[in-house]
Amino acid sequence: MSPLIEITDPRVLDPETILIDVRAGANARERYLAGHLPNAILATLDNDLAEHPEDPAFGGRHPLPSLKDFTATLGRWGIRPDSHIVVYDDKAAAMGGARLWWMLRSIGHPHVQVLNGGLKAATDEGVALSTDDYQPVAVTPYPVPPAYRNTVDIEEVKAAAKADDRVVIDVREGARYLGHTEPLDLVAGHIPGAVNLFYSNSLSPGGKYLTSQALATLYNETIGDVKPENVIVHCGSGVTACHTLLGMEHAGITGPKLYVGSWSEWSRRELPIATEANGL
């Protein structure tokens, strides 16, 4: 199943499809109630797709929820292992949509897709939005898997960033990677050895992903001859990195891993930090 689906595909608004609207930020519910796709369930990044960390130095700003909590949430949303799920957000999958897609794929759910272009693609197509507070019918909790797959911890990132046969990709904007600015975390810069590929480079001007062929070219220029399973992707807190992982899947590059803690963890651990100025 392709990780992306177009708004013109009848499965998006099929009553049998479980449609999930992911929002991020303090006003997530207000934006959802202002207009969402009919029968879309509201999911919020902070409450449904992440734990609230006691210390971001251990797990980052958006650590994954426990598997027990996440699968209980899936049950409340009416999701079973055979459910077809379509996810979207209002940020072209960059602030939550791809994160939920990645989480579902990570626990082995096969039937999940992200709406290409997100909410904007739907409104551009003339889909009438709803302002209802849609409530799904709960089912029994989703089976709890043994682990989230395809994640790495900080120790593996330390080793990978120094290895010739591995690559660590930082998908934050260039100014943050170079250490010119840091709006969210405590220190500016990047993991020594990590390469930069801004996540939005995978999008067309209209907010949809580039073609699979164009994405393959983009990513392979960065990955080179490194095997996909030896690729690690990170961002600030493990959210926009999922946008790039989705793009890689669409490009046929399967197996890269997510460093969930990302820069928000690394930058708080008194580890080496590279910037344009220090040249590390």
Side-chain angles (χ1 to χ4, degrees):
M1 176 175 285
S2 170
L4 292 173
I5 190 169
E6 301 295 328
I7 188 60
T8 51
D9 191 313
R11 292 175 296 174
V12 174
L13 299 177
D14 187 320
E16 296 299 314
T17 297
I18 294 180
L19 195 57
I20 303 180
D21 180 313
V22 183
R23 304 286 176 134
N27 63 344
R29 177 168 289 278
E30 288 81 357
R31 298 202 322 276
Y32 166 82
L33 292 175
H36 54 83
L37 296 187
N39 298 331
I41 301 163
L42 171 64
T44 65
L45 173 62
D46 290 319
N47 292 330
D48 299 312
L49 309 185
E51 286 189 340
H52 298 275
E54 293 183 7
D55 183 356
F58 298 91
R61 288 184 279 107
H62 289 111
L64 294 170
S66 72
L67 287 160
K68 183 178 179 180
D69 287 346
F70 181 48
T71 52
T73 297
L74 297 182
R76 290 195 299 273
W77 288 343
I79 293 174
R80 297 182 173 90
D82 61 350
S83 297
H84 180 211
I85 304 166
V86 172
V87 180
Y88 72 92
D89 61 27
D90 57 353
K91 303 292 183 183
M95 283 302 292
R99 166 82 167 215
L100 179 53
W101 168 84
W102 181 89
M103 289 170 66
L104 285 162
R105 295 294 295 122
S106 181
I107 66 168
H109 192 92
H111 310 296
V112 55
Q113 297 175 287
V114 173
L115 178 60
N116 196 10
L119 187 63
K120 182 179 183 297
T123 56
D124 287 350
E125 194 65 24
V127 176
L129 302 184
S130 170
T131 57
D132 293 341
D133 189 1
Y134 178 72
Q135 298 299 317
V137 177
V139 296
T140 56
Y142 196 98
V144 180
Y148 288 106
R149 298 181 298 187
N150 289 334
T151 66
V152 297
D153 62 18
I154 196 169
E155 295 302 322
E156 187 167 349
V157 174
K158 289 177 186 178
K162 298 176 182 178
D164 292 336
D165 62 345
R166 305 190 73 178
V167 62
V168 177
I169 301 175
D170 182 332
V171 305
R172 297 173 302 152
E173 62 183 312
R176 293 178 70 189
Y177 171 85
L178 292 171
H180 296 171
T181 184
E182 181 46 62
L184 298 172
D185 291 307
L186 304 180
V187 184
H190 63 270
I191 297 170
V195 298
N196 186 221
L197 179 60
F198 189 27
Y199 78 88
S200 71
N201 290 358
S202 63
L203 294 173
S204 68
K208 290 190 175 185
Y209 277 90
L210 301 174
T211 66
S212 58
Q213 294 85 355
L215 288 171
T217 298
L218 174 69
Y219 299 136
N220 284 321
E221 286 176 352
T222 300
I223 295 170
D225 59 0
V226 173
K227 295 178 180 180
E229 60 268 28
N230 290 334
V231 174
I232 296 171
V233 183
H234 82 88
C235 53
S237 64
V239 178
T240 52
C242 296
H243 182 280
T244 296
L245 289 166
L246 189 154
M248 288 180 171
E249 182 87 7
H250 186 53
I253 302 170
T254 60
K257 297 176 175 60
L258 173 65
Y259 171 33
V260 179
S262 288
W263 184 247
S264 57
E265 178 179 61
W266 183 280
S267 62
R268 288 171 167 84
R269 295 285 285 271
E270 298 184 358
L271 294 167
I273 290 175
T275 66
E276 185 178 40
N278 67 24
L280 288 179

